[in-house]
Amino acid sequence: MEDPRRRIPRTDHLLALPAVRAAAESLSLPVVRGLVRGIQDRARRGEIAPAAVESEVIAAVSARRASSLSPVLNATGVVVHTNLGRAPLSDAARQALAQAAGYVDVELDLATGTRSGRGAAARAALLAACPAAEDALVVNNGAAALVLATTALAAGAEVVVGRGELIEIGAGFRLPDLIASTGARLHEVGTTNRTYPADYAAALGAVTGCVLKVHPSNFRVSGFTAEATITELSGLCREHGVPLVADLGSGLLAPDPVLPEEPDAAGALAAGADLVIASGDKLLGGPQAGLLLGRAELIARLARHPLARAVRADKLTLAALEATLTGGEPPVARALHADPAELRRRAEALAAALRETLPDGPAGNRPGEIGSSAIEVVAHDGRVGGGGGAGVPLPGWAVALPVAAAGPLRTGTPAVLPRVHEGRCLLDLRCIPDSDDARVLAAALSALAGLGAPGTNGAPGTDGAGEPA
């Protein structure tokens, strides 16, 4: 008998198929060849019939994208969601990214044809948004900004910092370890819960490189507490000729009434900080970037340091940052200031549309079927996320679904990330543009329709952000 494997189409025949040739325009030839060979191998193992190879190849190359990252609709209510890439960019920033993807005058004066200062437009936009700063520097992220500052100001010397501010940031990175990597020595003062200006005064001396004031960001110490303010520390630092560096983390350039206790760059500089560090991809709502603002002499000192070259921002970051600052309101700002009444209206509209498609009653008409009364609209507080506004509730509303809908929502098209909390799957529309409400509805309908299938359970006990509920 003829070996059926002889009927498996040849590689050159499969690569010549019009659909495969079209896919090769957006995928590299090695990737296309890998998909083809993988399907041929499946046929050789008898997993698919030789006659099905062509259709399988066409389906595979049509579904394959150059990037494996999947777009996600964020229905958790967490605005700056670290696991989802933090801040979603504004339309202006996205357009700027597309334009900057080609050749751009990132370091060229087109009028003279000579080399110019890198990122001058982004720097000018930062200074316009924060006039209290004399100068600004952009690096690739907030941790890099801190490393550059402590290296340039205190390598071989001491960094004086309060014990209650020696924080751990995302993925287990600890501030003391970052500082130690620069060659600076930590000089801890005070206690975890109470630190006074006198503690700093006693530590300042000939070996002090800088004083570091760190906003705790993602936690709060309450009760029997005390801390030295930037205003109090600025006087001490001026007396000793030591720079005062304030790491704010969250990225606010100016005060926000929704977050009255969140420090901002303008306020910190006005209070006497010599150098402020912030993140571009948090409350600023832009791309990942480390922002350094403050005294011109210190910024120039940091910019001249050899490490500045290693942590400099690329053209895409600079373009997106400038557009975030000069373009329309970014999505982060819209989500933070979303009207609770409007969120409730949208949630009720989504719930009503879902109920219309489901049978009446709590359990429908057939075993395992979801009834319309299982869909509820509930009060739900969103969160800032990304280490900003720790503990600050953002009042809003969510649509509550059976917890088993969480898995199908996450793995559907489009992928929707809900919050799983107290045995329910919650869809909070705060971070989703109203233009995408129809997509959320379609995803929810698909998820609910498949609940009778095995393996569609959610993940009880998590909040959709990887944190315990």
Side-chain angles (χ1 to χ4, degrees), residues 50-68:
V53 168
E54 279 196 16
S55 61
E56 290 283 337
V57 166
I58 292 171
V61 298
S62 299
R64 182 70 158 84
R65 303 191 312 271
S67 170
S68 62

Side-chain angles (χ1 to χ4, degrees), residues 29 68 128 141 164 233 285 300 348 440:
L29 184 57
S68 62
N141 62 33
L233 293 178
E348 289 177 341
V440 177

Side-chain angles (χ1 to χ4, degrees), residues 133-418:
E134 295 178 7
D135 205 349
L137 180 65
V138 182
V139 295
N140 56 13
N141 62 33
L146 178 59
V147 167
L148 176 60
T150 50
T151 301
L153 301 178
E158 290 184 348
V159 176
V160 178
V161 62
R163 282 192 173 88
E165 299 173 5
L166 294 174
I167 62 173
E168 179 179 302
I169 59 177
F173 290 98
R174 296 180 171 182
L175 184 142
D177 297 335
L178 286 175
I179 294 175
S181 73
T182 69
R185 300 186 301 276
L186 274 176
H187 189 145
E188 304 173 24
V189 299
T191 62
T192 301
N193 61 317
R194 292 175 76 83
T195 305
Y196 302 95
D199 296 319
Y200 290 88
L204 295 177
V207 293
T208 304
C210 68
V211 171
L212 178 62
K213 178 72 177 168
V214 182
H215 177 53
S217 295
N218 53 5
F219 75 95
R220 286 185 176 183
V221 178
S222 60
F224 192 61
T225 63
E227 69 170 313
T229 66
I230 291 177
T231 301
E232 292 169 331
L233 293 178
S234 66
L236 285 173
C237 289
R238 280 195 299 271
E239 290 175 14
H240 290 80
V242 172
L244 173 58
V245 180
D247 188 344
L248 309 183
S250 67
L252 274 187
L253 298 185
D256 189 322
V258 173
L259 304 169
E261 297 184 15
E262 192 73 18
D264 64 277
L269 292 169
D274 298 301
L275 189 66
V276 166
I277 296 172
S279 294
D281 56 342
K282 294 184 180 180
L283 292 179
L284 183 63
Q288 177 173 294
L291 313 179
L292 294 136
L293 303 109
R295 285 172 39 203
E297 180 271 327
L298 290 180
I299 295 293
R301 186 171 166 186
L302 268 59
R304 290 193 301 267
H305 195 279
L307 184 60
R309 173 73 180 210
V311 298
R312 75 177 187 177
D314 73 332
K315 63 177 182 177
L316 300 179
T317 297
L318 294 171
L321 177 62
E322 180 191 359
T324 299
L325 292 164
T326 61
E329 185 179 45
V332 163
R334 288 199 296 271
L336 284 175
H337 300 95
D339 179 9
E342 175 62 12
L343 291 175
R344 183 173 190 174
R345 183 198 65 76
R346 291 173 61 196
E348 289 177 341
L350 174 60
L354 289 171
R355 292 190 192 107
E356 287 178 2
T357 67
L358 297 174
D360 293 334
N365 301 320
R366 295 187 299 274
E369 194 171 53
I370 301 299
S372 60
S373 62
I375 311 299
E376 299 180 82
V377 174
V378 298
H380 182 250
D381 288 339
R383 288 291 186 269
V384 176
V392 176
L394 302 174
W397 298 83
V399 177
L401 306 178
V403 70
L409 281 167
R410 290 194 303 269
T411 57
T413 303
V416 178
L417 183 65

Side-chain angles (χ1 to χ4, degrees), residues 60-127:
V61 298
S62 299
R64 182 70 158 84
R65 303 191 312 271
S67 170
S68 62
L69 293 176
S70 297
V72 177
L73 294 177
N74 176 13
T76 64
V78 179
V79 178
V80 183
H81 199 303
T82 297
N83 296 354
L84 295 181
R86 292 187 175 166
L89 296 182
S90 65
D91 290 341
R94 295 183 188 203
Q95 293 170 11
L97 278 177
Q99 293 169 352
Y103 293 120
V104 289
D105 55 343
V106 65
E107 218 167 308
L108 177 71
D109 184 336
L110 291 174
T112 63
T114 58
R115 187 169 185 166
S116 66
R118 185 181 184 85
R123 170 184 166 276
L126 268 176
L127 295 178

